[in-house]
Amino acid sequence: MRASRTIASAYAETAIPLVARRNNVPLVRSLELSGAARYEDYSDFGTTIRPKFGLNWKPFDAVMVRASLNRGFAAPTLTAKFIPTQFTVDSVPGVVDPYRNEGIGEGAYSQRRVISANPNLKPIRSNGRSVGIVIEVPGVRGLTLTGDYFQIEQEDEIGVRSNSQILNSDAALLKAYTAQQLAAGQTASQIDLGSGTAAYKGDPSVLREVVGAADIAAFAAANASKPAVQQLPTVGRVVSRFAPFENFAKSFVSGIDMSLAYTRRTSRWGTLMATTEWTYLIRSDVTRSPAGGATTVSDRLNVGGATRWRGSSSLVWEKRKWSASFGAYYIGSYGDTGATTSAIVYDSLGKPSYIVKQLDNSAYVYRYRVSDVVSFNSSVGYNFGSERGVWLKNTKLKLGVTNLTDREPPLTSGSSGFDSSVHASLFAGRTWTVEVSRKF
């Protein structure tokens, strides 16, 4: 693949004080409006302007209310627009076709998967909003509290549908058409789903074989033991699943960022700084609407490391040439997308806490719950300053330890046994570091 892109950009920002203390406006110690914009020109795509606006209002000296509004833009990658078409065949035993599995109990079989570029991709666009408050606590010098609500909406997200997304969409469209025809008075044997033809009623990304005698016999035998409303019309096996890059999703995420910071300076004990920062996700989901396919909704909250709670706390001490720190880091539990079971097993086990029920492609799945983790880091440092000899002058020495308690990463599915995208820092176990720095 050979492709190139030239980008020219410009950026500008401004801050406009609207009201100051000297204006003597009730409940307005200060009011400031800020604005920023980025202009970009893509040689293969076009131009875009991304604005951002902010407002800071201080009704009292110790309180500030802040809000922001911004728009985002991301051009399609060169890979998504120009990658050569790729063909793969499923390894044995293959992939389960959910429609034929439900209809005749057929198991997995090998199919072909085709991934291709899409030169007509649109950009990903986003809208972000936030509103929050900053409080410098009266009577407690050095103590600051913050809280911010945020939400981000993205449209035209780019991706390639997975095997299950394509085949589940196909099954949903076939069954929806079947339900319409049954309601119109036809029987399952009379309904033609157009398998292997241009009139196919399933997902357009699925190519099936033309119905053969063996298919007709298999569906007839299976339907004979079912009531009419559960019978399914005949289709052939899937030959190919086409998965081009496409703008097929929109997402929404909202949450609250919280922090507390305290600084205390004394001549006897030095300076002590304590901070804690936390994020609480309220909602995170994605809606996929592929061209011609079924629209589905999936949770992103507590999926793949996007935990509801995540936070860190630290304590830093400094006195003259000495310094020390201690930090704690928390990552909440989440569902393992590679370790699932059925609703029957979940219910038979008494709905255990180590299995979490989540929405995926508009259907509930039951996943193993990856446990939450708390880890600790610590360090101690010494600054030799400018009074030492030539070898140690302006030199800082720092001894640190990561994963102080030697915590192992929690068990997940996959070949490595843990989620490297979330818990990579725990894999090496307790790690000691020595850092030497010098100013010249």
Side-chain angles (χ1 to χ4, degrees):
M1 182 187 84
R2 294 187 62 184
S4 64
R5 170 180 289 164
T6 301
I7 305 173
S9 63
Y11 178 79
E13 63 177 326
T14 185
I16 305 172
L18 302 177
V19 180
R21 179 188 293 272
R22 64 177 179 273
N23 298 121
N24 295 319
V25 178
L27 294 179
V28 184
R29 292 291 188 269
S30 68
L31 182 65
E32 181 181 87
L33 177 67
S34 62
R38 179 180 294 276
Y39 168 86
E40 292 182 328
D41 180 24
Y42 293 79
S43 60
D44 66 326
F45 197 78
T47 62
T48 178
I49 297 178
R50 291 176 284 180
K52 180 179 180 179
F53 302 98
L55 186 68
N56 292 336
W57 166 47
K58 293 191 73 171
F60 310 103
D61 289 334
V63 178
M64 181 177 71
V65 178
R66 57 192 180 187
S68 69
L69 178 66
N70 65 81
R71 299 185 65 182
F73 170 99
T77 65
L78 294 176
T79 298
K81 293 187 68 176
F82 301 112
I83 187 175
T85 301
Q86 300 175 356
F87 300 87
T88 59
V89 177
D90 301 324
S91 57
V92 177
V95 174
V96 173
D97 175 351
Y99 183 87
R100 285 176 65 99
N101 177 263
E102 180 180 344
I104 60 176
E106 185 175 50
Y109 59 88
S110 293
Q111 307 162 20
R112 186 171 65 172
R113 177 174 172 84
V114 183
I115 299 178
S116 60
N118 183 351
N120 299 315
L121 288 171
K122 296 183 291 184
I124 304 171
R125 302 185 184 275
S126 66
N127 293 300
R129 303 173 181 85
S130 70
V131 61
I133 188 170
V134 180
I135 302 174
E136 296 177 356
V137 180
V140 186
R141 185 177 180 180
L143 178 60
T144 303
L145 306 176
T146 71
D148 294 273
Y149 168 82
F150 65 88
Q151 70 175 49
I152 302 171
E153 299 173 77
Q154 283 193 326
E155 297 180 349
D156 293 323
E157 290 187 356
I158 298 171
V160 173
R161 289 195 290 168
S162 67
N163 297 335
S164 61
Q165 289 167 353
I166 293 173
L167 293 174
N168 287 336
S169 169
D170 180 65
L173 291 172
L174 291 175
K175 290 195 288 186
Y177 181 80
T178 297
Q180 294 175 356
Q181 298 306 304
L182 290 174
Q186 287 193 308
T187 64
S189 61
Q190 296 172 327
I191 299 173
D192 181 9
L193 296 178
S195 181
T197 72
Y200 183 54
K201 306 304 180 183
D203 194 297
S205 294
V206 171
L207 174 64
R208 289 185 180 272
E209 296 175 344
V210 175
V211 171
D215 300 315
I216 295 173
F219 274 87
N223 288 336
S225 60
K226 299 177 182 178
V229 293
Q230 295 180 9
Q231 295 178 10
L232 294 180
T234 306
V235 294
R237 280 188 164 191
V238 173
V239 177
S240 298
R241 305 181 305 269
F242 295 91
F245 283 91
E246 54 184 321
N247 300 100
F248 71 102
K250 63 179 181 179
S251 63
F252 180 92
V253 60
S254 64
I256 299 173
D257 288 328
M258 300 162 280
S259 73
L260 179 153
Y262 177 69
T263 301
R264 179 65 182 265
R265 294 181 174 87
T266 66
S267 57
R268 182 177 181 181
W269 300 107
T271 300
L272 185 67
M273 294 169 284
T275 61
T276 183
E277 298 177 342
W278 291 84
T279 296
Y280 176 82
L281 288 182
I282 299 171
R283 173 187 164 191
S284 182
D285 54 55
V286 58
T287 301
R288 298 181 178 91
S289 301
T295 296
T296 61
V297 179
S298 298
D299 283 334
R300 282 182 171 173
L301 181 61
N302 291 331
V303 176
T307 64
R308 185 180 291 278
W309 279 104
R310 186 183 290 248
S312 65
S313 300
S314 66
L315 190 64
V316 178
W317 168 78
E318 295 177 348
K319 185 178 181 183
R320 298 187 181 95
K321 299 179 180 181
W322 286 97
S323 64
S325 68
F326 179 80
Y329 306 87
Y330 175 79
I331 300 175
S333 63
Y334 61 93
D336 184 348
T337 57
T340 62
T341 188
S342 65
I344 295 175
V345 172
Y346 177 67
D347 290 335
S348 67
L349 293 173
K351 300 180 179 180
S353 60
Y354 59 83
I355 298 177
V356 57
K357 179 181 178 181
Q358 296 177 324
L359 188 67
D360 184 58
N361 292 318
S362 296
Y364 283 108
V365 294
Y366 301 84
R367 294 169 171 152
Y368 171 71
R369 185 192 298 273
V370 180
S371 61
D372 56 354
V373 174
V374 180
S375 61
F376 304 95
N377 298 343
S378 187
S379 70
V380 60
Y382 185 81
N383 186 353
F384 289 95
S386 59
E387 300 176 359
R388 293 286 178 175
V390 64
W391 293 106
L392 295 177
K393 184 178 180 179
N394 295 325
T395 299
K396 293 182 180 180
L397 178 65
K398 183 178 179 181
L399 175 65
V401 57
T402 302
N403 193 3
L404 180 64
T405 58
D406 199 22
R407 176 67 186 265
E408 293 183 352
L411 179 66
T412 65
S413 63
S415 59
S416 62
F418 76 101
D419 191 338
S420 59
S421 66
V422 181
H423 301 114
S425 62
L426 301 179
F427 176 67
R430 185 187 296 113
T431 305
W432 296 90
T433 60
V434 176
E435 180 182 327
V436 180
S437 60
R438 183 175 183 177
K439 290 183 179 180
F440 293 93

